[in-house]
């Protein structure tokens, strides 16, 4: 499994599967920042993660240690009851190295990332005034808001999709009379979700302000899809919180039909059921 190899330090340096996962993760949780420092253009990139998704930030620490780029910082937002937050931050030099590694796999933020690096190289050493800086930001904003993807691949790699779902994805495993098992992915990039639908079917709905949600059932009537889809996402998922829900879903699908769709199915039933992870690997 990708997670175990990364955390143990046994993952080979140039793992394309990890690069694909990080690309999907960056396409959802990453950002490229442009600032003006004493009149000079500065570029940085970062990935942000909350402790509610990555307790102790072990994955963020491991990624930083594996790539040897940038640094990680931790803070607690001032909002009441907020979870801790971790930023994996890279300056322009490390951002360029990072892009050289994962850029070819990016779909949502590749063009914007490329343009930020290009502008930095073109304007390096030139002192800018505020008006020029605002013009640059407006230009980059137009690229950022194009709402397109860099290319439309025939197939999305499993590692990339796992990265997307570890970022802005959600696995719902609500056990009741309805047994709601489903996967969701949120994005402002509609073409990305169109590619997801092309690969995995499901539906897209607009939530608010050009924010869209892809949803695909993993429950009753979706058994064959679930036992095909979930083990592959689990294989490449780095976040334990996501994998735990996937594990519960796989146990659920191994239960006899009379138990699975009866009125007594609950979390205790899943916890006391035998492991089925190897069955669907």
């Amino acid at each position: 499994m990708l997670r175990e190899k990364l955390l143990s330090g046994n993952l080979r340096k140039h793992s394309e599967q990890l690069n694909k996962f990080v690309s999907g993760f960056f396409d959802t949780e990453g950002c490229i920042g442009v600032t003006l420092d004493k009149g000079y253009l500065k570029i940085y990139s970062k990935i942000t993660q909350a402790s509610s998704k990555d307790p102790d930030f072990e994955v963020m620490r491991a990624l930083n240690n594996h790539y040897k780029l940038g640094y990680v910082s931790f803070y607690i937002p001032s909002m009441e009851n907020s979870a801790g937050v971790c930023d994996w931050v890279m300056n322009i030099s490390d951002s360029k190295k990072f892009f050289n590694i994962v850029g070819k796999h990016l779909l949502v933020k590749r063009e914007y990332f490329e343009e930020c690096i290009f502008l930095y190289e073109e304007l390096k050493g030139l002192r800018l005034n505020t008006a020029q800086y605002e013009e640059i930001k407006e230009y980059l904003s137009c690229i950022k808001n194009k709402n397109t993807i860099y290319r439309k691949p025939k197939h999305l790699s499993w590692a990339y999709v796992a990265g997307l779902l570890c970022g802005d994805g959600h696995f719902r495993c609500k056990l009741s009379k309805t047994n709601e098992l489903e996967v969701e992915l949120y994005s402002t990039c509609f073409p990305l979700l169109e590619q997801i639908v092309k690969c995995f079917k499901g539906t897209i709905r607009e939530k608010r302000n050009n924010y869209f949600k892809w949803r695909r059932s993993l429950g009753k009537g979706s058994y064959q899809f679930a036992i095909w889809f979930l083990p592959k996402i689990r294989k490449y998922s780095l976040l334990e919180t996501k994998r735990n829900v996937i594990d519960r879903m796989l146990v659920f699908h191994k239960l006899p039909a009379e138990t699975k769709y009866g009125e007594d199915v609950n979390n205790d039933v899943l916890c006391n059921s035998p492991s089925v992870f190897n069955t669907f690997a």
Side-chain angles (χ1 to χ4, degrees):
M1 296 293 182
L2 192 62
R3 172 186 167 85
E4 285 73 17
K5 290 181 179 179
L6 175 68
L7 295 182
S8 66
N10 293 325
L11 190 65
R12 59 190 180 87
K13 184 177 180 181
H14 302 292
S15 168
E16 278 301 286
Q17 296 304 328
L18 181 63
N19 294 340
K20 291 174 183 178
F21 172 89
V22 171
S23 297
F25 203 38
F26 190 87
D27 266 344
T28 49
E29 298 285 68
C31 74
I32 308 98
V34 180
T35 62
L36 198 64
D37 182 19
K38 298 179 181 179
Y40 298 101
L41 194 68
K42 298 292 183 182
I43 306 292
Y44 68 90
S45 59
K46 70 176 180 178
I47 297 177
T48 299
Q49 189 60 274
S51 60
S52 57
K53 292 184 179 181
D54 183 12
D56 301 322
F57 305 119
E58 59 180 351
V59 171
M60 294 288 274
R61 296 174 190 266
L63 287 172
N64 174 244
N65 183 62
H66 177 82
Y67 286 101
K68 301 291 191 297
L69 298 173
Y71 63 91
V72 290
S73 63
F74 316 95
Y75 63 94
I76 298 178
S78 57
M79 295 177 291
E80 187 176 354
N81 299 323
S82 295
V85 174
C86 174
D87 285 335
W88 176 20
V89 186
M90 289 165 274
N91 61 19
I92 179 59
S93 177
D94 284 347
S95 291
K96 289 193 291 184
K97 294 175 184 176
F98 178 75
F99 182 80
N100 288 337
I101 296 170
V102 306
K104 62 184 178 182
H105 302 302
L106 293 173
L107 294 181
V108 179
K109 297 174 180 173
R110 176 171 174 172
E111 184 179 0
Y112 183 73
F113 208 151
E114 276 184 323
E115 196 63 27
C116 286
I117 292 174
F118 172 78
L119 281 175
Y120 172 80
E121 294 296 338
E122 287 291 301
L123 301 173
K124 184 168 56 177
L126 296 178
R127 199 175 186 88
L128 305 176
N129 57 39
T130 303
Q132 291 170 324
Y133 174 58
E134 292 299 324
E135 191 175 327
I136 290 170
K137 288 202 301 181
E138 184 176 350
Y139 168 71
L140 290 174
S141 180
C142 290
I143 296 176
K144 189 175 183 180
N145 296 329
K146 283 172 65 175
N147 197 25
T148 59
I149 55 178
Y150 188 79
R151 56 189 172 86
K152 294 183 178 181
K154 291 183 178 180
H155 305 285
L156 296 173
S157 75
W158 287 107
Y160 177 81
V161 175
L164 293 175
L165 293 173
C166 278
D168 283 340
H170 177 66
F171 291 92
R172 186 188 304 277
C173 187
K174 184 179 180 181
L175 300 177
S176 62
K177 292 181 180 180
T178 56
N179 292 332
E180 294 179 29
L181 281 77
E182 58 189 35
V183 59
E184 299 171 339
L185 177 63
Y186 296 83
S187 179
T188 56
C189 184
F190 188 79
L192 174 68
L193 298 186
E194 285 185 313
Q195 288 297 115
I196 294 290
V197 169
K198 182 180 177 181
C199 293
F200 306 116
K201 299 185 179 180
T203 59
I204 303 174
R205 291 185 179 179
E206 184 173 5
K207 299 298 290 181
R208 63 184 184 279
N209 300 328
N210 294 320
Y211 202 55
F212 302 94
K213 178 180 78 170
W214 167 72
R215 176 190 173 276
R216 178 66 158 90
S217 173
L218 298 171
K220 189 174 182 178
S222 302
Y223 171 81
Q224 292 297 334
F225 174 77
I227 64 172
W228 170 74
F229 177 80
L230 290 171
K232 292 179 172 62
I233 296 299
R234 186 185 190 277
K235 179 179 179 180
Y236 297 108
S237 180
L238 296 186
L239 297 185
E240 190 68 13
T241 51
K242 304 286 186 182
R243 288 173 27 142
N244 287 341
V245 183
I246 291 174
D247 289 347
R248 291 171 59 214
M249 289 180 171
L250 288 172
V251 172
F252 171 85
H253 279 296
K254 186 61 176 178
L255 294 173
E258 61 270 20
T259 303
K260 184 161 48 177
Y261 301 118
E263 295 184 0
D264 296 330
V265 64
N266 54 40
N267 289 335
D268 292 334
V269 172
L270 295 192
C271 293
N272 293 327
S273 298
S275 173
V276 295
F277 311 141
N278 291 333
T279 306
F280 297 122

